[in-house]
Every structure is written in structure tokens, then in C-alpha cells.
């Protein structure tokens, strides 16, 4: 869909009161001093390239820096600086080499042979080679590692065979046309086997990758300090300037409050901030002092999923009524200040084969009333909530405060308001990430927004196959709808075996139509990565494989 043009409000320029706010608020966030600009505070005295860059994140602090353990987006944000993958993607969404130099699928489709870069070393000085790749996949697939994202991506890999020092063969239980795409994400990245052998606690604290930066220290609840890898020689193939990294240190700070992060940027106490709210993005987009970077994460769109195992949404008519009660288009346009575009597809624009179905998501309260009447929800209590057989029409809707920005919370509140007009009682509960995962894992919800990132349309199988109702070793189940449909499973299984777009594309499109027509998913918008950064930095970008920050080419502007 063509991106609409929007009128932008004037940019933020304030540096007075906000600078004071940043100084006071960030005293416990690992940001030293209260100078007007961080660029005046070089820690090393070696010129611009030695200055410490401060990255302020609003995402949750990872509980483990080993991206194989669990597998959430905060791990990928920081992990992209430390741990590299075999493949990446370019700006067109095509696979490019990273730690690998090439790949070939066997004629019987039961193995992939991958060749590897030579003369690359991990941060601990041990060599990156075929044995390291084998050890990493074994670590990832070990249930004791408690992986969720990575282990699901490697579910068809039976073993990795070392053919020579720089060639491996991935042997499969069945064809996996998405394998190379799955190897282009941080959660399947490669770490030092010697580092892994130290045990989970040490590797979570300080993984040894091959990336442009090493983990130096981790001060819990404050910051992680990354130091330049002076031996770095393994940039992905789409990098233009492979002479970096240029910046010596990065302080990766954790600042949950959006206003405080923006104050840090505008006072010069931070150079890059993420999870920028839509209103601020609109303002910064016209600024002479700051730039913005936005990327739609690959995988699924941000979407509401309805739990068919619960007492309310087991009935398709009730699901359709809930969807018809939502007046989403104007709400998204207003709340997100024109920076987000409404999606009607399950798949992100960053992957292929997305199917747009706006016909299924029309705001129609009269139809919602009729559907609920026909479904037997005809009585009302004193609050106007529909009742059937003594049960109120309640919808439990937990929201993760670490994953949902304020505009998204406001959107859910508007959904609750319009749903109440037809007789639903939407119970919104804002939870920290750990509590949200617990509710999700225990099926203690009726509606939920659960983003899922993957560099392939095979994410549909990861999220909507019946097998995804079963928790991964981490305890997280990717299928939030609870649907078990053998016909859908068969289509997703067949598509996953194919590597030809001409063959797999129609199957993924068929699967999406089945899911959407079953009224178990309400697409909202892309899962947006949104950053603002000072123009004192050049070469900063969002790497296209996941839309995560890359500082390989970043340097201080002259």
C-alpha cells in the first residue's frame, strides 16, 4: 500500500526545562553529568570517534543477553550489536550473506549446505567455524536453553553436520523452504562455543559473539556498556562502509518513561532513543537537529487475537460482533498522528505474500447488535452489559506496558468504549512483561495484542499452526487463538516445505484468508520500530533483517 503524505507539526527544539528534567530524571540511568550536550563529554580524549554514544531504550531490559534463551525483541535490539547471524536482508527484503558466504538446497530438499566466512573470531579470541555453527544449533535446540523464538525457527533441523572447517550441512526432518530466512535473525545468531560452555548464567551476562561491539559491563536496571571490537571484519553484505565500527563505546541505557527519553535526547544526554511516540515522530520529522528512523518489523502485524478456548470467543458470531463494534480507522489516524497506516493483513509489509482484507473489518454496530442477539446474548444487566445463562459478556484484555506504547493503550480504551455500546464489557489490565507472559501462557485472556517477529512468511505456521498451541521450552505458546484446524495445518505445512515463491505464495495467501475469515484476528498496523537521533551522528541505520539498530557504519559528524 502506498504510504500517505501527512502534514507535520513543527519540530521539537526545546533545550531549557527539558534539559533540567533529563538531568534530574536520569541520575540513576547511568548518564554522567548534566552538560548541555553529551558530545562535549568525551570520556577518552581521543577525538570524535572515541566519544561514548548513549542509546536510551524504552523496551524492557533483557533478562538474558544470550538471544537463544527465550527470544524477545529487547534481546534482538541489543543483541544485533554483539551477536551476528549467518544471513541478513537488504533494503529490498532479499537474503544477503553475513557470517555465511553462500547456501544451496539439496535436490531432495532434506538438507541445506552453507559455506562460512574465514578468519573471523569471537570476542573471546576463539575461531568462528563450522564446529561453532553446529554447537550453536545444538545449544539452541537443547530444551534446557529454554528457547522460544529460535527453537521454533529450527524445529525441522535434525542436526548440523560439519563437512569441513568452513562448510556445514543442515539436515532436516522434512523440507524447510524458510530455513535461510530463519537464519537471518538474531535469535538464531552464533556465539562462541567456549562462551556457551561457561553455563547459562555467565553467557546471559556476557555472550561472546563476532559483532562490532563486545559486552563490557552490565549494571542491572541502569545500563549495559558496549566496547568496540577492534578485530571486527564480518559486516553483512549490504553494508557500504565496512571500515567500522568507528564509535568506541555505547552506553545502552534503560529509561521506561517516554518523556524522559525525549528529554535526554533534547538535552544531549542521549544520542539515540527508541520507542518514540507518534506525536514526537511527527515533530522530529521536520527537525534540522534530529532525524527519525522507522521500520516495520517482519513477521506479523500488530493485531488483536481472540482466544477461542475461552468462554466468550468460542462462538464465531460473538467474535464477528466484537470486530464489527470497532471503529478503528479514524482512531488509528488520530491517536498515531498519521504516522501509522492501518493494516488489514496478518503479515507485515516487510515479508512477502500479505493479504489485505478490509471487507472483513467494517465498523457496523447494527450488525454487531444483530449477531449478539442471534447468539443468545439478549439480556442486559444494570450496567448495560449483555448476559447469557447468567454469564456477563466480559472480555479480558491484558496489555504489556513494555510492548504497548501509550497510543496503543488509548486505542484499546477506544475499542472498549465502542464495544460497550453493543453490550461488551472489556476489562483492560496493564501488566509488566513478565506478568503479561504469564497470562498469555496460562490462557488467562480473551483478547490480546501479541506481536511476533520472523523474517519469513513462514511466521504463519509458527503462530497459527495447531502445534503452536503447545508451549515452547520457555513456556510461551505462539498461537494465541487456540484454533486447531487440520486443513489450515496442512496448507501451512505444505507451504513451509517449498522454497519457490511461485509455489508457496498462493498457499500462504490461502492460509491468511482462512484465518481472517474465521474472525480470530484483527490486524491493526505494522509492528513499528521507531527511533529519533541527533544529527551529530552519521551512518546510523535500522538493519533490514529485523529493523534493529546497527552502529557498524555510525560515526560522529564532522
Amino acid at each position: 500500500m502506498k504510504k500517505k503524505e501527512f502534514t507535520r507539526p513543527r519540530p521539537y527544539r526545546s533545550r531549557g526545562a527539558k534539559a533540567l528534567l533529563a538531568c534530574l530524571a536520569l541520575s540513576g540511568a547511568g548518564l554522567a553529568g548534566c552538560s548541555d550536550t553529551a558530545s562535549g563529554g568525551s570520556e577518552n580524549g581521543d577525538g570524535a570517534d572515541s566519544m561514548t554514544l548513549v542509546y536510551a531504550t524504552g523496551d524492557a531490559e533483557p533478562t538474558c543477553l544470550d538471544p537463544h534463551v527465550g527470544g524477545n525483541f529487547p534481546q534482538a535490539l541489543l543483541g544485533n550489536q554483539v551477536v551476528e547471524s549467518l544471513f541478513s536482508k537488504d533494503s529490498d527484503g532479499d537474503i544477503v550473506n553475513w557470517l555465511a558466504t553462500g547456501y544451496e538446497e539439496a535436490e531432495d530438499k532434506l538438507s541445506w549446505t552453507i559455506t562460512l566466512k574465514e578468519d573471523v573470531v569471537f570476542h573471546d579470541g576463539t575461531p568462528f567455524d563450522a564446529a561453532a555453527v553446529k554447537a550453536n544449533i545444538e545449544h539452541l535446540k537443547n530444551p534446557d536453553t529454554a528457547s522460544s523464538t529460535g527453537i521454533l525457527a529450527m524445529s525441522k533441523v535434525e542436526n548440523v553436520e560439519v563437512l569441513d572447517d568452513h562448510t556445514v550441512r543442515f539436515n532436516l526432518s522434512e523440507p524447510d523452504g524458510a530455513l535461510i530466512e530463519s537464519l537471518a535473525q538474531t535469535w538464531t545468531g552464533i556465539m562462541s562455543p567456549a562462551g556457551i560452555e561457561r553455563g547459562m548464567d555467565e553467557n546471559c551476562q556476557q555472550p561472546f559473539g563476532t559483532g562490532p561491539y563486545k559486552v563490557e559491563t552490565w549494571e542491572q536496571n541502569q545500563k549495559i556498556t558496549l566496547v568496540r571490537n577492534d578485530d571486527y571484519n564480518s559486516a553483512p553484505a549490504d553494508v557500504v562502509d565496512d571500515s567500522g565500527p568507528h564509535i568506541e563505546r555505547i552506553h545502552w541505557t534503560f529509561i521506561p518513561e517516554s518523556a524522559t527519553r525525549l528529554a535526554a535526547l533534547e538535552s544531549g544526554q542521549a544520542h539515540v532513543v527508541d520507542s518514540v511516540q507518534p506525536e514526537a515522530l511527527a515533530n522530529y520529522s521536520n527537525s534540522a537537529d534530529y532525524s527519525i528512523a522507522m521500520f516495520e518489523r517482519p513477521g506479523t502485524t500488530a493485531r488483536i487475537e481472540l482466544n477461542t478456548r475461552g468462554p466468550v470467543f468460542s462462538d464465531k458470531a460473538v467474535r464477528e460482533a466484537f470486530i464489527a463494534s470497532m471503529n478503528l480507522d479514524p482512531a488509528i489516524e488520530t491517536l498515531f498522528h498519521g504516522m501509522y497506516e492501518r493494516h488489514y493483513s496478518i503479515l507485515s509489509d516487510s515479508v512477502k505474500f500479505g493479504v489485505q482484507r478490509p471487507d472483513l473489518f467494517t465498523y457496523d454496530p447494527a450488525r454487531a447488535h444483530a449477531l449478539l442477539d442471534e447468539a443468545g446474548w439478549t439480556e442486559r444487566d444494570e450496567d448495560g452489559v449483555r448476559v447469557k445463562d447468567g454469564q456477563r459478556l466480559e472480555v479480558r484484555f491484558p496489555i504489556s506496558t513494555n510492548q504497548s506504547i501509550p497510543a496503543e493503550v488509548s486505542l484499546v480504551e477506544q475499542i472498549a468504549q465502542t464495544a460497550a455500546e453493543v453490550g461488551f464489557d472489556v476489562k483492560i489490565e496493564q501488566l509488566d512483561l513478565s506478568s503479561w507472559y504469564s497470562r498469555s501462557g496460562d490462557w488467562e485472556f480473551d483478547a490480546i495484542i501479541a506481536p511476533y517477529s520472523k523474517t519469513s512468511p513462514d511466521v504463519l505456521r509458527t503462530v497459527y499452526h495447531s502445534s503452536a498451541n503447545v508451549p515452547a521450552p520457555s513456556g510461551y505458546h505462539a498461537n494465541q487463538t487456540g484454533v486447531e484446524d487440520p486443513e489450515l495445518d496442512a496448507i501451512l505445512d505444505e507451504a513451509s516445505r517449498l522454497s519457490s515463491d511461485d509455489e508457496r505464495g498462493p498457499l500462504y495467501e490461502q492460509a491468511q484468508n482462512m484465518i481472517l475469515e474465521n474472525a480470530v484476528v484483527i490486524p491493526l498496523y505494522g509492528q513499528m520500530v521507531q527511533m529519533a537521533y541527533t544529527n551529530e551522528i552519521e551512518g546510523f541505520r535500522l538493519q533490514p533483517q529485523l529493523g534493529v539498530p546497527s552502529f557498524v557504519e555510525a560515526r560522529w559528524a564532522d
Side-chain angles (χ1 to χ4, degrees):
M1 298 173 64
K2 184 178 180 180
K3 184 68 178 174
K4 295 178 287 185
E5 296 297 327
F6 302 108
T7 301
R8 312 291 190 189
R10 64 180 179 83
Y12 286 113
R13 303 286 178 140
S14 169
R15 288 186 177 270
K18 287 191 175 182
L20 177 61
L21 170 63
C23 178
L24 296 174
L26 300 176
S27 59
L31 300 183
C34 284
S35 61
D36 287 340
T37 61
S39 59
S42 171
E43 296 188 351
N44 305 291
D46 298 328
D49 276 0
S50 298
M51 288 160 34
T52 296
L53 181 145
V54 178
Y55 180 100
T57 180
D59 261 291
E61 182 174 11
T63 56
C64 175
L65 302 186
D66 173 352
H68 293 178
V69 178
N72 58 29
F73 202 68
Q75 288 174 301
L77 286 170
L78 184 136
N80 196 60
Q81 323 314 316
V82 177
V83 177
E84 298 184 299
S85 304
L86 294 178
F87 301 96
S88 185
K89 286 192 170 185
D90 63 18
S91 58
D92 294 324
D94 296 325
I95 289 289
V96 296
N97 294 326
W98 196 349
L99 288 175
T101 58
Y103 60 90
E104 183 177 2
E105 185 178 26
E107 288 188 11
D108 64 5
K109 299 184 179 298
L110 289 176
S111 68
W112 291 80
T113 299
I114 299 174
T115 53
L116 308 173
K117 286 181 177 177
E118 301 183 23
D119 301 321
V120 176
V121 297
F122 293 106
H123 297 156
D124 61 354
T126 59
F128 163 73
D129 55 17
V133 174
K134 174 180 172 66
N136 270 262
I137 300 305
E138 290 173 349
H139 174 252
L140 195 155
K141 289 180 68 68
N142 185 339
D144 292 339
T145 302
S147 173
S148 59
T149 306
I151 196 171
L152 291 174
M154 296 292 102
S155 62
K156 294 185 179 184
V157 177
E158 282 196 334
N159 59 68
V160 175
E161 183 180 353
V162 174
L163 301 184
D164 60 40
D165 285 350
H166 296 97
T167 311
V168 292
R169 178 182 294 139
F170 280 68
N171 295 313
L172 310 176
S173 58
E174 60 178 292
D176 185 357
L179 178 69
I180 303 304
E181 294 168 322
S182 294
L183 291 170
Q185 46 192 9
T186 310
W187 305 292
T188 56
I190 307 299
M191 297 171 287
S192 161
I196 292 172
E197 288 172 4
R198 294 173 300 166
M200 182 180 290
D201 289 345
E202 284 194 59
N203 206 53
C204 278
Q205 186 76 17
Q206 187 185 42
F208 298 138
T210 59
Y213 290 91
K214 311 175 187 180
V215 176
E216 185 175 65
T217 58
W218 184 0
E219 301 170 51
Q220 298 284 339
N221 302 314
Q222 293 191 40
K223 68 180 180 185
I224 296 170
T225 297
L226 305 177
V227 62
R228 182 171 62 201
N229 176 11
D230 289 327
D231 297 321
Y232 185 65
N233 63 347
S234 51
D238 65 325
V239 162
V240 176
D241 173 14
D242 62 0
S243 64
H246 306 285
I247 293 170
E248 184 166 319
R249 270 185 169 75
I250 299 175
H251 283 172
W252 199 277
T253 62
F254 303 101
I255 306 177
E257 299 81 11
S258 176
T260 308
R261 287 196 305 279
L262 294 184
L265 178 68
E266 295 191 15
S267 68
Q269 296 295 304
H271 301 97
V272 183
V273 298
D274 66 20
S275 302
V276 180
Q277 303 308 307
E279 181 179 11
L281 284 172
N283 280 301
Y284 285 132
S285 66
N286 279 333
S287 172
D289 299 321
Y290 306 103
S291 296
I292 65 171
M294 297 179 66
F295 190 90
E296 186 171 333
R297 285 160 53 181
T300 66
T301 51
R303 72 229 181 278
I304 300 169
E305 295 179 289
L306 305 181
N307 176 14
T308 62
R309 295 185 172 195
V312 175
F313 291 132
S314 58
D315 187 337
K316 183 181 179 183
V318 178
R319 300 196 298 270
E320 291 180 336
F322 190 55
I323 292 170
S325 76
M326 298 181 187
N327 193 13
L328 290 173
D329 289 15
I332 291 171
E333 176 72 20
T334 301
L335 291 171
F336 291 87
H337 296 268
M339 298 303 294
Y340 283 24
E341 186 170 351
R342 174 71 197 278
H343 272 285
Y344 303 96
S345 171
I346 302 170
L347 287 181
S348 161
D349 284 348
S350 300
V351 295
K352 300 175 181 177
F353 315 127
V355 172
Q356 300 282 346
R357 290 294 305 271
D359 58 300
L360 299 175
F361 302 102
T362 302
Y363 174 53
D364 191 344
R367 180 170 181 263
H369 277 294
L371 285 165
L372 292 173
D373 288 343
E374 292 170 10
W377 293 89
T378 53
E379 299 179 34
R380 299 262 190 162
D381 66 13
E382 58 185 9
D383 297 321
V385 178
R386 289 180 181 257
V387 178
K388 178 181 178 182
D389 300 328
Q391 174 189 336
R392 298 174 86 248
L393 191 56
E394 292 184 354
V395 177
R396 299 165 296 171
F397 204 142
I399 299 174
S400 165
T401 53
N402 297 113
Q403 295 184 130
S404 295
I405 62 175
E408 189 166 271
V409 176
S410 297
L411 179 65
V412 175
E413 291 171 346
Q414 289 202 18
I415 289 169
Q417 291 173 9
T418 56
E421 294 171 5
V422 301
F424 286 95
D425 182 11
V426 179
K427 302 287 190 182
I428 302 170
E429 188 173 8
Q430 297 187 44
L431 304 169
D432 60 44
L433 189 60
S434 176
S435 300
W436 181 90
Y437 271 121
S438 178
R439 292 288 179 85
S440 167
D442 294 336
W443 296 95
E444 293 181 359
F445 66 91
D446 297 299
I448 199 166
I449 298 175
Y452 199 98
S453 295
K454 186 174 181 177
T455 53
S456 167
D458 188 53
V459 69
L460 294 170
R461 180 177 62 90
T462 304
V463 174
Y464 295 112
H465 196 282
S466 297
S467 62
N469 288 309
V470 180
S474 66
Y476 177 77
H477 56 82
N479 190 340
Q480 305 286 349
T481 69
V483 168
E484 296 188 8
D485 184 341
E487 182 182 358
L488 176 62
D489 290 348
I491 293 169
L492 293 173
D493 285 338
E494 178 62 20
S496 75
R497 297 185 185 101
L498 302 170
S499 53
S500 164
D501 285 354
D502 290 341
E503 293 178 305
R504 65 179 183 157
L507 292 172
Y508 284 130
E509 291 167 6
Q510 182 182 356
Q512 288 173 81
N513 280 314
M514 291 177 66
I515 296 164
L516 292 169
E517 289 169 4
N518 196 23
V520 293
V521 179
I522 304 102
L524 299 173
Y525 32 74
Q527 300 178 57
M528 301 305 299
V529 177
Q530 48 222 24
M531 310 259 179
Y533 59 97
T534 173
N535 287 341
E536 294 170 359
I537 300 170
E538 295 177 344
F540 170 72
R541 69 165 184 154
L542 298 180
Q543 195 168 323
Q545 93 281 26
L546 287 171
V548 285
S550 171
F551 293 96
V552 172
E553 299 171 275
R555 63 174 72 231
W556 301 107
D558 295 332

